[in-house]
Amino acid sequence: MAFYDRMMSIDRRIIFLSVGLAVAIPIIVPLGFPVQISEETMNFYREMAALKPGDIILLSFDYEGDVMAELNPMAVAVLKHAFSRGIKVIAITTYAGGTGIAERLLTEAANRYGKTYGVDYVFLGYNPDWSGTMLRLGESFKATYPTDQYGKSVYEIPIMKNVETYRDIALVVSISGSALSEYWAIWAGGRYGARVISGNTAIQAILIYPYYKAGQIPGFLGGLKGAAEYEKLINAPGMGIRGMDAQSVAHALMLAFILVGNVGYFLFRRAKRREQK
Amino acid sequence: MAVTHDLGIWVAGILTLAIFSFLYKDNPFYRFAEHLLVGVSAGYYLVQYFFSAAYKKLWVPVFQEGHHVLLVGGILGLLMFTRLFRRTEWISRYPVAFYIAAWAGYVIPSYIQVRILQQAQDTMFNPRGMPLGEALSALILLIGVSTTLIYFYFSAEHRGPLKTLSKVGITFLMIGFGATFGYNVMGRVSLLIGRFQFLFTDWLGIVH
């Protein structure tokens, strides 16, 4: 077998093992690569930092377990930032599978900062049909969610007392593993004038740029890197920063594999051309 | 190293390894974990949807609070089940038509406003008084949008200037695909990082 053939036909199990080691080793032995802050993350941070104590944000958990590795660090950081500054949180989820995740993260953050359920935060739970939910919240929060996740009437929940529509919400924060951040921008932002920022999986982040560029989403966090940058800005290192060493090493390895595959391909093409002559 | 005593984490850890075993080759451990996931997910979602939609949004408002108008929506929803039988399948077109009409009414005005008008507006700029870097960025955006649109213009053969411009457009598209691929890699690696963090931190206690 020619050398270029070997370069182009590396056993996929060797690739899997290499990627596994490239991710595992930096998690066990941190390398401490620096985290640079991007403009999008800085603007996300500025939107959050501009809120005053007592302001209310709507935090939408637009994801399920499949992408929680990327999005949990963002949601945790948003909750830490909000609770540490006395900002109140109304949380919802647009995915049935997001209920357990939202409940756990809210409870952990609230316990850490000594926040009271119903006064400092509330979890309204899952509502079927996310599009109808986004639109109806613009008409009435209380009609959209007559009760919280645990069946208590929203009329008996103090934080909900003065919340009628998006006008009473300082900021909508969508943490999303799908296109739902775009829909928040389209409906909550475009139709009802709510200010929307988002945290997105890396795959979705690329689709957020046009909205960011046009000012429809004034700040966003892109993937685990965005989470790490935000953790650094709020001085609360968490799973995002811890994962960035592994991310960098794995990316370097991928680049090496892409390089090897391409060099192999060019050598193969050159050999073919020589054969034809 | 402090291995957890939490049974749930042990189950999650072992199932994670069972799924990873597919990377070597297909095997009964992987298939067991896969089938378990499908079964548990189906049960979980059935219960969630039943209680959050059928019970909370239909049964309670109609039969406990007297909002009988909601029965119209309930009946339309039930008509969807007529698809299960060939002879009554045609009836399901009515709720589908209703849904599509309502959805189009919701979506079309907002889409035009946010996705077309505001986005198009963002490509327009006045270079006078603009910092050089910003003006250059706006110019690149304008060229990128225009040439990409030309690439997708199929009503005339791509020859001469049109061919040149569409080639510029495809270059912008390639850059976009490259960025998407890069983000894709980052996303997939992040998922692996999340699993490894779970295994090393929550399960095995190697990392704190």
Side-chain angles (χ1 to χ4, degrees):
Chain A
M1 188 189 253
F3 180 62
Y4 54 76
D5 276 333
R6 263 187 238 158
M7 286 174 90
M8 287 196 303
S9 55
I10 299 172
D11 190 325
R12 66 191 181 98
R13 282 169 293 200
I14 293 174
I15 297 175
F16 292 151
L17 185 67
S18 312
V19 173
L21 290 172
V23 169
I25 293 169
I27 290 175
I28 299 167
V29 188
L31 305 168
F33 288 139
V35 175
Q36 304 292 336
I37 311 296
S38 64
E39 184 197 90
E40 307 87 78
T41 305
M42 182 53 91
N43 286 333
F44 182 100
Y45 170 78
R46 283 188 185 129
E47 290 291 326
M48 285 291 294
L51 300 173
K52 296 183 292 291
D55 278 349
I56 299 174
I57 63 168
L58 175 68
L59 176 60
S60 184
F61 288 81
D62 302 326
Y63 66 99
E64 298 181 294
D66 56 341
V67 286
M68 67 182 190
E70 263 187 294
L71 299 181
N72 270 4
M74 293 179 193
V76 168
V78 167
L79 286 169
K80 280 181 183 171
H81 198 187
F83 285 156
S84 66
R85 298 189 53 243
I87 293 158
K88 299 183 177 197
V89 177
I90 295 175
I92 61 169
T93 176
T94 46
Y95 280 84
T99 315
I101 297 170
E103 241 176 343
R104 185 167 62 84
L105 299 187
L106 279 165
T107 312
E108 281 174 8
N111 289 344
R112 173 184 283 214
Y113 290 93
K115 298 294 173 185
T116 311
Y117 184 82
V119 177
D120 301 304
Y121 74 103
V122 67
F123 181 42
L124 299 180
Y126 166 70
N127 212 22
D129 184 12
W130 49 265
S131 54
T133 303
M134 287 177 192
L135 286 162
R136 209 168 176 210
L137 286 173
E139 310 291 333
S140 166
F141 266 61
K142 293 186 177 91
T144 314
Y145 284 98
T147 61
D148 71 355
Q149 165 71 4
Y150 312 103
K152 189 172 183 182
S153 166
V154 286
Y155 289 95
E156 297 167 19
I157 299 173
I159 188 177
M160 297 299 294
K161 194 179 169 193
N162 296 318
V163 177
E164 293 301 330
T165 65
Y166 288 120
R167 277 197 299 274
D168 307 307
I169 297 292
L171 196 61
V172 175
V173 185
S174 158
I175 307 290
S176 170
S178 64
L180 290 198
S181 295
E182 295 175 54
Y183 287 97
W184 280 111
I186 290 169
W187 283 327
R191 187 158 173 169
Y192 292 105
R195 206 155 174 82
V196 180
I197 57 173
S198 67
N200 302 89
T201 51
I203 293 165
Q204 280 298 319
I206 196 85
L207 302 173
I208 300 297
Y209 274 101
Y211 297 92
Y212 171 69
K213 185 76 186 51
Q216 293 158 318
I217 294 180
F220 75 94
L221 308 175
L224 196 66
K225 185 176 184 299
E229 292 170 8
Y230 186 48
E231 284 174 0
K232 188 180 173 186
L233 281 170
I234 62 169
N235 199 22
M239 285 166 70
I241 285 181
R242 283 205 295 271
M244 282 321 289
D245 285 343
Q247 188 82 255
S248 305
V249 176
H251 282 196
L253 182 74
M254 298 290 238
L255 275 174
F257 277 128
I258 289 170
L259 200 68
V260 167
N262 277 282
V263 169
Y265 175 69
F266 284 117
L267 289 175
F268 163 77
R269 226 169 48 167
R270 202 170 63 175
K272 276 273 171 203
R273 249 188 251 136
R274 276 187 191 156
E275 264 176 37
Q276 280 167 359
K277 279 178 190 170
Chain B
M1 185 165 152
V3 181
T4 183
H5 298 294
D6 187 325
L7 183 66
I9 292 176
W10 268 90
V11 171
I14 291 166
L15 287 173
T16 301
L17 295 183
I19 292 287
F20 279 167
S21 69
F22 182 76
L23 295 174
Y24 183 70
K25 66 176 186 183
D26 198 1
N27 64 75
F29 298 108
Y30 166 74
R31 262 175 280 147
F32 170 75
E34 188 189 32
H35 294 168
L36 191 69
L37 174 74
V38 173
V40 169
S41 301
Y44 177 82
Y45 285 106
L46 185 71
V47 172
Q48 275 282 1
Y49 288 137
F50 180 78
F51 278 101
S52 58
Y55 181 72
K56 272 173 87 173
K57 296 287 172 188
L58 188 65
W59 186 267
V60 172
V62 171
F63 298 107
Q64 293 178 13
E65 294 165 1
H67 300 298
H68 295 111
V69 70
L70 293 177
L71 271 175
V72 178
I75 291 166
L76 281 171
L78 283 174
L79 289 180
M80 288 297 288
F81 288 101
T82 57
R83 291 186 74 82
L84 297 174
F85 310 100
R86 189 168 282 179
R87 288 181 65 186
T88 56
E89 198 180 7
W90 61 274
I91 301 173
S92 67
R93 288 181 197 153
Y94 289 99
V96 170
F98 183 84
Y99 187 76
I100 290 173
W103 179 252
Y106 275 152
V107 168
I108 292 170
S110 307
Y111 262 48
I112 291 173
Q113 177 64 25
V114 177
R115 280 193 159 171
I116 299 175
L117 298 180
Q118 286 181 10
Q119 293 286 329
Q121 192 182 356
D122 188 52
T123 61
M124 298 165 197
F125 69 104
N126 182 359
R128 223 178 277 170
M130 234 180 178
L132 185 66
E134 229 174 89
L136 201 65
S137 167
L139 183 67
I140 291 170
L141 182 70
L142 178 67
I143 294 169
V145 171
S146 313
T147 53
T148 306
L149 284 173
I150 287 168
Y151 174 76
F152 287 108
Y153 181 71
F154 301 122
S155 299
E157 199 178 337
H158 286 193
R159 272 190 195 166
L162 207 61
K163 189 178 175 184
T164 312
L165 290 171
S166 75
K167 273 193 173 171
V168 176
I170 203 166
T171 309
F172 275 97
L173 280 173
M174 289 301 163
I175 294 169
F177 294 149
T180 307
F181 177 72
Y183 265 115
N184 241 308
V185 170
M186 184 162 110
R188 300 307 175 203
V189 171
S190 300
L191 300 184
L192 185 62
I193 291 170
R195 272 300 79 190
F196 276 11
Q197 281 182 335
F198 165 77
L199 293 176
F200 296 149
T201 310
D202 299 342
W203 187 30
L204 301 175
I206 297 171
V207 181
H208 298 285

